[in-house]
Amino acid sequence: MWSLKISEGTSPWLRSLNNHVGRQVWEFDPNLGSPEELAEIEKLRQNFSQNRFLKKHSSDLIMRIQLSKENTIGEILPPVKVKENEDVTEEMVTKTLRRALSSYSTLQAHDGHWPGDYGGPMFLMPGLVIALSVTGALNAVLSDEHKKEMIRYLYNHQNKDGGWGLHIEGPSTMFGSVLTYVTLRLLGEEANDGQGAMEQGRKWILDHGGATAITSWGKMWLSVLGVFEWSGNNPLPPEIWLLPYILPIHPGRMWCHCRMVYLPMSYLYGKRFVGPITPIVLSLRKELFTVPYHEIDWDEARSLCAKEDLYYPHPLIQDILWASLHKAVEPMLMHWPGKKLREKALHTAMQHIHYEDENTRYICIGPVNKVLNMLCCWVEDPNSEAFKLHLPRIYDFLWVAEDGMKMQGYNGSQLWDTAFAAQAIISTNLFQEYDSTLRKAHMFIKNSQVLEDCPGDLDFWYRHISKGAWPFSTVDHGWPISDCTAEGLKAALLLSKIPSDIVGEPLEPERLYDAVNVLLSLQNGDGGFATYELTRSYSWLELINPAETFGDIVIDYPYVECTSAAIQALTSFKKLYPKHRQKEIEHCIKKATTFIETIQEKDGSWYGSWAVCYTYATWFGVKGLIAAGKNYSNSSSIRKACDFLLSKQVASGGWGESYLSCQNKVYTNLEGDRAHVVNTGWAMLALIDAGQAERDLTPLQHAARFLINSQMENGDFPQEEIMGVFNRNCMITYAAYRNIFPIWALGEYRCRVLQQSSA
């Protein structure tokens, strides 16, 4: 039976700054679990599989079963149901909140964070399996039980047409289909296994042009495996790292996720590394292409991409650039004397790879560069200490649920979820009843702040300051992010107002000052805040975005979500510490407010880049403006935002937005105009902040009724459609949102609407 281990790290090859606080790893114990418990889990798996086309998202039930048994509570109050024409009373909301908080408290880990599924993308696990396969470490790292759950997951998320999507809810793509098919074969599945599923997958691939039409990232992985030729790839010359930083195209000016992925890719390309040509590799060469492997025109294959994958088509300038590099520049760099430059570039790339590895404790910024960096360390030296240090951190990215084992989009969302959860619990004004929960959350937030900058010359390594920041996941990961720092600071400030006998000692002022320093350092000239760093180059650089599947990946753009979070945090800080850097903070808030107003859409919404989509971003837009001192009366932006939200409320009383809004940039309801508890929470929070109750309480009444009636028998809320997004086109899971935002919205409704109106 699988068991989730929290804040543990027994391997001598693991490094940690804080004794592994926040680490979440699944381990299989063959002696664990009674026959009844094993039967219960098997029933959940079968239920998911039988309904996988109706409900593509798992509900994280294996974790919920384990933690609810470890954190037992008394009997949950009976459910509340509000009739259609019945008013929502304070008693109803309070009872619903007590049920929700009791249930959610059982899902908290002993170190204070809420573990959860951060899966969704389908292209992450293939990279891991390919890297482990070519290094010969597959069977050493992945047990039979790991492989069994991975295979279960991949079959469970195969679409009806036989293909696999970019993410679990997406239509079939060549990128998803080829890489998933290859992964299943490497995990031990034969070409005719899966009760016809493998044949279906192969048929989809061949019917849509074969693997030559896979995206550039797919071409790279297949080339590493030996199922594609490097001559069929557009060039990724590592020499770009030797260019002067003053040039706008220098990778140090790019978004950190972009440069950290293309850094190891350029090393592998520069080396033209190919793994062992095994019988499976030779078989895949026959299975994946529409013509014999030796007849493929690899030069033509460089620019092929299936129409199903083409979210960002290459502009003509890119085709000219890649052709020039491929035909003129690369031949010179592969032979003396140009080869000397190639060797220097490869050495420089490895320097940066090692720096990234060491300063994230071998977790790395994300799962793609994690496995690429690991592979590069092995290519450089198969017996290296660096490769051995990488291996135990693989498990930080693997998650088990009733749909199988997936690879997550990060090593978790621990700090992000906990900072939101703390604010949600405090909003209910019932926190004294849940003091243990809040105390543990406070402990986790304090333990997760980054206390030091990365070592060395930060400019040389293209890194921003990080002392005082909060990361998205854990302090061992360590990359600083603007909105995570802001939400961590907001939560810490709110907790500092509550007596320490309830929530523990507050964070020292110096550490709060450090967080403020990070936020102030991250504001761009236009007033906006990007994610990890300042915006270092120009939007026209997107012309050379080589990833056909993703949009807006080349530079770190400013976002309404990050900018609003910074305004909220600095405003809260200013109230408690009015004399600290007063003028700088006020100037920062003023510029950020103007930025938010400037980027508002004509219909009153904001486009969301990190969750679905206009509902999410409009919540941030409104909250940021309100925090800056705007209100419904004096701000046309807030009035337009309220009109927008009210126009999207559906018949059930809630809001329900599809992930299609993200990729198409047009607000799209969920199929059947269904409402979603998370979208409804965001819309309610925005409207409450904007004073909707003073104008017309009815929309909020209907929304509250929807949330109350959505609550499940055990106090939990249902897992509905996927709600996270990155790079416009790929969806990702935020499993905690289904709890956090209904609690937060109903908490605000109870205290700021019902209690104030009765007062």
Side-chain angles (χ1 to χ4, degrees), residues 154-219:
L154 297 176
Y155 280 144
N156 269 332
H157 293 288
Q158 186 175 22
N159 289 328
K160 279 184 179 180
D161 62 9
W164 286 268
L166 182 65
H167 56 86
I168 57 172
E169 293 190 13
S172 298
T173 62
M174 190 64 75
F175 187 34
S177 300
V178 171
L179 288 187
T180 303
Y181 181 90
V182 167
T183 304
L184 285 164
R185 293 287 279 116
L186 294 175
L187 289 172
E189 293 295 278
E190 297 295 337
N192 56 355
D193 276 349
Q195 298 178 316
M198 292 297 283
E199 289 103 319
Q200 275 187 293
R202 190 164 62 252
K203 184 177 185 303
W204 191 96
I205 292 165
L206 297 176
D207 285 351
H208 291 80
T212 49
I214 198 171
T215 59
S216 57
W217 284 23
K219 288 176 166 66

Side-chain angles (χ1 to χ4, degrees), residues 7 16-23 109-113 414-415 418 439-452 468-471 473-478 488 492 495 505-508 511:
S7 296
S16 179
L17 296 174
N18 64 354
N19 203 25
H20 302 290
V21 168
R23 187 170 191 244
H110 61 78
D111 67 0
H113 86 277
Q414 294 91 317
L415 183 279
T418 304
R439 178 184 285 266
K440 286 191 290 183
H442 192 192
M443 175 182 69
F444 182 79
I445 290 167
K446 289 188 287 186
N447 285 336
S448 298
Q449 189 179 20
V450 179
L451 301 181
E452 297 294 339
W470 271 277
S473 56
T474 62
V475 78
D476 281 339
H477 181 285
L495 288 157
E505 293 299 319
L507 210 57
E508 298 88 347
R511 285 175 62 180

Side-chain angles (χ1 to χ4, degrees), residues 245-255 259 536-537 554-555:
Y245 184 79
I246 195 170
L247 294 177
I249 62 168
H250 190 283
R253 292 176 169 271
M254 295 176 183
W255 184 41
R259 72 171 179 268
R536 296 174 175 178
S537 199
V554 180
I555 65 168

Side-chain angles (χ1 to χ4, degrees), residues 416 482-484 486-487 490 519 560-570 596 620 624:
W416 181 249
S482 61
D483 54 354
C484 300
E487 297 300 340
K490 283 167 61 186
L519 285 176
V560 64
E561 300 100 316
C562 299
T563 308
S564 167
I567 291 173
Q568 294 172 57
L570 292 171
I596 288 178
F620 270 102

Side-chain angles (χ1 to χ4, degrees), residues 683-748:
M684 272 188 79
L685 286 165
L687 290 169
I688 290 169
D689 242 16
Q692 179 63 36
E694 298 159 18
R695 297 183 295 278
D696 180 7
L697 185 59
T698 306
L700 294 175
Q701 277 271 337
H702 290 171
R705 181 189 301 131
F706 168 75
L707 288 181
I708 292 169
N709 289 341
S710 296
Q711 191 175 37
M712 297 159 67
E713 193 75 23
N714 64 356
D716 204 350
F717 286 90
Q719 176 63 59
E720 297 169 322
E721 286 81 0
I722 203 161
M723 276 289 116
V725 68
F726 60 92
N727 300 136
R728 307 286 185 251
N729 194 38
C730 193
M731 311 313 297
I732 196 160
T733 295
Y734 284 87
Y737 281 11
R738 69 198 251 199
N739 300 99
I740 291 168
F741 290 105
I743 289 171
W744 199 342
L746 290 173
E748 295 271 327

Side-chain angles (χ1 to χ4, degrees), residues 15 353-366 369 373 390 393 411 454 463 474-479:
R15 295 175 177 177
I353 286 168
H354 288 312
Y355 187 84
E356 157 72 349
D357 291 346
E358 289 160 12
N359 287 288
T360 59
R361 276 50 61 186
Y362 290 82
I363 296 168
C364 300
I365 196 172
N369 83 313
N373 282 15
H390 262 292
R393 284 299 189 184
N411 64 320
C454 287
R463 291 293 294 264
T474 62
V475 78
D476 281 339
H477 181 285
W479 273 86

Side-chain angles (χ1 to χ4, degrees), residues 395-415:
Y395 304 113
D396 295 48
F397 286 91
L398 302 179
W399 189 263
V400 177
E402 66 271 22
D403 58 343
M405 177 173 276
K406 60 208 75 177
M407 191 170 190
Q408 302 186 106
Y410 227 73
N411 64 320
S413 52
Q414 294 91 317
L415 183 279

